[in-house]
Amino acid sequence: MTTRIDRRFETVQAEGRPAFVTYIMGGDPDYETSLRIMKALPGAGSDVIELGMPFSDPMADGPTIQAAGLRALKAGQTLRKTLEMVRAFREEDNETPIVMMGYYNPIYVYGVERFLDDAVNAGIDGLIVVDLPPEMDAELCLPAIQHGINFIRLATPTTDDRRLPAVLKNTSGFVYYVSMNGITGTAIADTSAVNEAVARIKGHTDLPVCVGFGVKTPEQARAIGASADGVVVGTAIVAAIANAAGDPVEAATALVRELADATRNARLAQAAL
């Protein structure tokens, strides 16, 4: 089964460029504003949207995304409302891939089968659940695949060649390479080391490899996009929303446009060197 994610990566690869993947926290700073931001992202240059599921104990998230999750929860965001956001988005956009990202606990409480049924009906294309290792694929990964939802796995600098096959076994859509060990939003690792890691992963899979956790500037986006199949930006966008002096939608889309342009031109910049 071909998903929106598969089609989008086929398109950007045919265009000879990396994809630009954006992350926002569902319901931050409130439902309506978050939905407005989400609807504006494709027009600003986002190829794939990662939508965070707010959770009270986000162990892999840095302070910026933790704060966004707490704002969303305080404003009344729930997993059901996050699914409603996707459904509302799909009323106007049936092409942009949407990946829900977060932790297993809210899904477990919601009920796995109920969640997957509702996710399909809402228009979800993929899942990134950071606290479910391959040894727990029966919990959510395999049922998600049976529902036609891509299950996207994280690889890290410590994922060596012995571990990588297990990580890749049931992964689909794309592989998310975490550019450093630690929490989101910290400084990105040396780009040459990231490029080497991407090449190593691509030696084990035909899936696109996207790089995130720390990409904040156009320069970083260009450097990563020269070798990766996609560049993921989250913390910088979430910070722009939180720190907006005016309309958070304008603050987010202005940054996304700048980073999207840098990502799209990454291969051209590399060729000119």
Side-chain angles (χ1 to χ4, degrees):
M1 177 180 177
T2 301
T3 66
R4 291 185 187 92
I5 296 172
D6 299 326
R7 291 194 294 271
R8 182 54 52 94
F9 277 98
E10 288 172 359
T11 297
V12 301
Q13 287 169 358
E15 294 173 358
R17 65 177 180 87
F20 184 54
V21 183
T22 54
Y23 171 96
I24 61 170
M25 178 64 71
D28 174 43
D30 56 67
Y31 178 91
E32 292 300 332
T33 304
S34 186
L35 179 58
R36 286 172 54 222
I37 294 168
M38 187 179 181
K39 288 181 175 181
L41 288 174
S46 175
D47 294 303
V48 179
I49 297 172
E50 290 181 3
L51 184 62
M53 300 178 279
F55 179 49
S56 58
D57 188 22
M59 62 182 182
D61 294 328
T64 301
I65 292 181
Q66 282 192 27
L70 292 176
R71 285 193 299 270
L73 291 171
K74 188 174 180 180
Q77 189 76 0
T78 61
L79 184 52
R80 180 182 60 79
K81 285 188 175 182
T82 306
L83 290 167
E84 286 177 4
M85 278 184 63
V86 178
R87 195 173 291 109
F89 177 90
R90 286 284 177 234
E91 293 174 1
E92 301 176 11
D93 186 329
N94 197 41
E95 297 300 322
T96 302
I98 299 173
V99 177
M100 291 187 77
M101 183 172 184
Y103 300 84
Y104 184 47
N105 182 271
I107 296 171
Y108 177 80
V109 172
Y110 194 96
V112 169
E113 284 299 317
R114 178 186 168 214
F115 168 76
L116 292 172
D117 288 342
D118 290 352
V120 169
N121 290 334
I124 292 294
D125 304 293
L127 291 174
I128 300 174
V129 182
V130 300
D131 55 347
L132 279 182
E135 289 75 16
M136 298 180 69
D137 274 359
E139 292 284 332
L140 181 62
C141 173
L142 296 180
I145 292 169
Q146 291 169 359
H147 280 73
I149 295 174
N150 290 130
F151 201 86
I152 297 151
R153 191 86 67 191
L154 303 180
T156 74
T158 59
T159 307
D160 60 23
D161 287 337
R162 290 179 299 174
R163 179 63 173 167
L164 196 54
V167 170
L168 296 173
K169 182 178 179 182
N170 292 313
T171 300
S172 60
F174 62 91
V175 180
Y176 189 144
Y177 179 68
V178 177
S179 62
M180 87 293 286
N181 295 316
I183 57 175
T184 58
T186 50
I188 196 166
D190 177 66
T191 53
S192 63
V194 173
N195 294 342
E196 289 174 7
V198 169
R200 181 172 63 85
I201 294 169
K202 290 173 76 69
H204 290 263
T205 180
D206 292 330
L207 291 172
V209 180
C210 298
V211 176
F213 275 53
V215 182
K216 296 180 180 179
T217 68
E219 292 74 22
Q220 290 171 334
R222 274 192 292 270
I224 296 299
S227 62
D229 298 302
V231 177
V232 186
V233 178
T235 296
I237 299 170
V238 172
I241 294 167
N243 299 327
D247 185 0
V249 181
E250 293 180 3
T253 53
L255 177 60
V256 168
R257 285 191 190 97
E258 183 180 18
L259 292 166
D261 286 345
T263 301
R264 288 169 186 266
N265 293 323
R267 305 282 168 82
L268 294 175
Q270 178 71 10
L273 295 177

